[in-house]
């Protein structure tokens, strides 16, 4: 598995993977009509803006040579770095790709605080972040068109990737 920097040509495949990931991970959390409806167009527009139009941020792509297996998107802020997205192809979950991307994100944060927001009901993601040393900071409500969800913020402060726990097997 190669981790590379994303490029404009990745916008479509990243949007498609992001949509598949949301439809799998957020089923039962987000309304079905939202997941089957506007989310696909919203992801396509967001990734076009980020990668084609050059929005601020850095895309890390886990590429197996034939397809994109996962990705992470980092947005630098004042003294912090937002890990805005970390998604792995649903068929490849629990293969170690997420841990590799997280360690790369920590390295790219270069000692700054790295933080993310995760849906409170997304228990598998919360377990993943806690297993990898994240600290819970706060809870808030995020509003979407027609619904709202509880969100948790987690962070890593001054941590190096070599201190993050690794899986003993399948750590590609």
């Amino acid at each position: 598995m190669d981790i590379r920097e994303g490029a404009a040509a990745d916008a479509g495949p990243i949007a498609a993977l992001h949509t598949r990931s949301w439809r799998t991970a957020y089923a039962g959390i987000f309304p079905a009509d939202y997941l089957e409806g506007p989310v696909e167009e919203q992801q396509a527009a967001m990734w076009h803006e980020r990668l084609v139009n050059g929005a601020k941020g850095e895309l890390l792509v886990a590429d197996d040579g034939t397809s994109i297996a996962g990705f992470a998107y980092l947005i630098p802020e004042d003294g912090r770095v937002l890990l805005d997205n970390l998604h792995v192809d649903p068929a490849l979950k629990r293969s170690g790709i997420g841990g590799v991307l997280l360690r790369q994100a920590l390295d790219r944060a270069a000692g700054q605080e790295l933080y993310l927001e995760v849906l409170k009901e997304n228990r598998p993601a919360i377990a993943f972040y806690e297993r990898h040393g994240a600290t819970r900071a706060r809870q808030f409500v995020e509003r979407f068109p027609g619904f709202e969800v509880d969100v948790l913020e987690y962070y890593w402060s001054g941590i190096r990737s070599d201190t993050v726990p690794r899986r003993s097997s399948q750590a590609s």
Side-chain angles (χ1 to χ4, degrees):
M1 186 66 52
D2 184 39
I3 305 297
R4 62 175 174 79
E5 296 216 9
D10 294 317
I14 291 292
L17 173 56
H18 200 171
T19 299
R20 282 194 315 278
S21 180
W22 272 35
R23 286 178 173 163
T24 302
Y26 300 164
I29 300 173
F30 283 176
D33 60 338
Y34 176 75
L35 289 174
E36 294 305 319
V39 73
E40 187 170 8
E41 285 180 29
Q42 291 170 349
Q43 300 298 7
M46 179 180 71
W47 288 107
H48 181 74
E49 174 65 26
R50 286 179 169 179
L51 300 178
V52 177
N53 293 343
K56 177 177 75 169
E58 179 180 13
L59 177 65
L60 304 175
V61 177
D63 191 330
D64 67 7
T66 59
S67 65
I68 293 175
F71 67 93
Y73 191 73
L74 305 167
I75 301 173
E77 297 178 343
D78 294 330
R80 301 172 81 188
V81 176
L82 171 61
L83 177 53
D84 190 48
N85 297 108
L86 192 159
H87 292 272
V88 173
D89 186 307
L92 299 173
K93 292 264 182 164
R94 303 198 56 80
S95 66
I97 296 167
V100 170
L101 285 164
L102 178 58
R103 285 188 292 280
Q104 287 283 323
L106 286 162
D107 287 343
R108 300 294 174 108
Q112 298 179 75
E113 181 178 279
L114 179 71
Y115 78 100
L116 59 82
E117 298 167 353
V118 60
L119 300 180
K120 184 178 181 182
E121 292 185 50
N122 189 352
R123 288 174 181 80
I126 291 168
F128 170 81
Y129 296 127
E130 289 179 350
R131 200 169 47 249
H132 286 86
T135 300
R136 183 174 160 182
R138 65 185 180 108
Q139 180 175 330
F140 60 95
V141 173
E142 185 166 342
R143 289 169 178 71
F144 287 82
F147 67 100
E148 55 186 41
V149 291
D150 290 323
V151 177
L152 302 174
E153 180 182 302
Y154 278 87
Y155 70 94
W156 294 262
S157 187
I159 192 169
R160 297 183 328 264
S161 68
D162 61 353
T163 64
V164 173
R166 293 177 183 261
R167 291 179 53 156
S168 59
S169 63
Q170 298 178 349
S172 83

